[in-house]
Amino acid sequence: MIKQCKKGSRSAFNELVLQYQDQVVNFAYSMLSDREDAYDAAQEVFIKVYKNIGSFEEKSSFNTWLYKICSNVCKDILRKRRVRSNVISIDTGDYDDEALDIEDDRYTPEGALEQSEAQKRVRAAMSVIKDEYREIITYCDIQQKSYEETAAILQCPVGTVKSRLNRARMALKRRLEEQGENI
């Protein structure tokens, strides 16, 4: 499919988008904590992929290349947010929980509500930690990428991924504790 995209096949590119769009939107949402920004980021990611697919050298996997583009787009959006305002509100109710919740009949409505509230608190905490911490937690804990995959995307050693992830988890834990969460 990548080879067909490189030759300019729009149908192959459409298939590529369909195959990866949910992953890209979910990754962007994890980084940006805003559903609309995540959709905008995904659109920008696929525009960049379309324009630059010819330069993809296939030295790494397509996934690695795609996530690197997505990460860079999200970082740009976060940078632009900071320019607009140095204050990030953690009290916004701008979360579309239904899109992320996976229906599971083992949970009661009360349990689902509790889980949804916990997700909101974690997203709020994620939105105020450093971008590099949010990124590493998103790759390793949310997207469940291996250390090796994450290292390839970030272009750093596996040991760096492990140490950053540890620092990121500690920062997230501190933030949750500041919010009064029992960890």
Side-chain angles (χ1 to χ4, degrees):
M1 188 166 30
I2 302 298
K3 288 181 185 358
Q4 290 175 351
C5 287
K6 284 182 171 186
K7 292 178 182 175
S9 169
R10 287 185 184 235
S11 62
F13 184 75
N14 288 339
E15 287 179 44
L16 186 88
V17 171
L18 288 173
Q19 183 175 346
Y20 290 98
Q21 68 185 357
D22 290 342
Q23 294 171 26
V24 169
V25 169
N26 288 333
F27 176 82
Y29 183 63
S30 297
M31 288 289 293
L32 303 171
S33 299
D34 181 273
R35 181 66 53 196
E36 292 305 313
D37 283 350
Y39 285 122
D40 290 345
Q43 187 173 20
E44 191 173 334
V45 165
F46 286 112
I47 289 169
K48 287 181 184 265
V49 168
Y50 184 78
K51 288 180 177 178
N52 297 301
I53 192 80
S55 68
F56 174 55
E57 298 175 1
E58 300 182 44
K59 291 179 181 174
S60 62
S61 73
F62 177 76
N63 253 356
T64 299
W65 187 70
L66 178 67
Y67 275 101
K68 187 65 179 174
I69 292 171
C70 189
S71 177
N72 289 337
V73 166
C74 290
K75 286 177 185 177
D76 288 343
I77 290 170
L78 291 169
R79 230 182 331 271
K80 288 174 188 173
R81 276 187 193 168
R82 278 193 210 97
V83 169
R84 280 185 271 156
S85 171
N86 288 331
V87 178
I88 299 173
S89 173
I90 61 171
D91 296 323
T92 60
D94 191 22
Y95 299 108
D96 183 9
D97 296 321
E98 292 179 31
L100 291 180
D101 288 343
I102 298 172
E103 195 172 313
D104 187 347
D105 57 4
R106 292 179 294 171
Y107 291 103
T108 63
E110 295 82 17
L113 177 62
E114 199 173 288
Q115 181 181 10
S116 175
E117 291 299 316
Q119 287 174 345
K120 283 182 185 179
R121 290 187 296 272
V122 170
R123 276 195 299 272
M126 286 276 290
S127 71
V128 295
I129 63 174
K130 289 181 179 181
D131 293 345
E132 72 179 52
Y133 291 167
R134 185 177 319 144
E135 180 181 39
I136 200 89
I137 287 173
T138 299
Y139 285 134
C140 294
D141 293 338
I142 296 172
Q143 297 289 319
Q144 297 184 347
K145 301 250 177 245
S146 69
Y147 294 140
E148 291 77 14
E149 287 175 301
T150 303
I153 294 167
L154 296 176
Q155 298 174 336
C156 65
V158 172
T160 302
V161 168
K162 291 178 181 180
S163 62
R164 272 190 207 163
L165 182 59
N166 185 50
R167 286 193 305 272
R169 287 174 176 162
M170 294 305 292
L172 182 60
K173 180 181 178 188
R174 277 191 304 277
R175 186 63 194 163
L176 288 167
E177 287 171 344
E178 289 171 9
Q179 293 177 350
E181 291 295 315
N182 294 324
I183 308 288

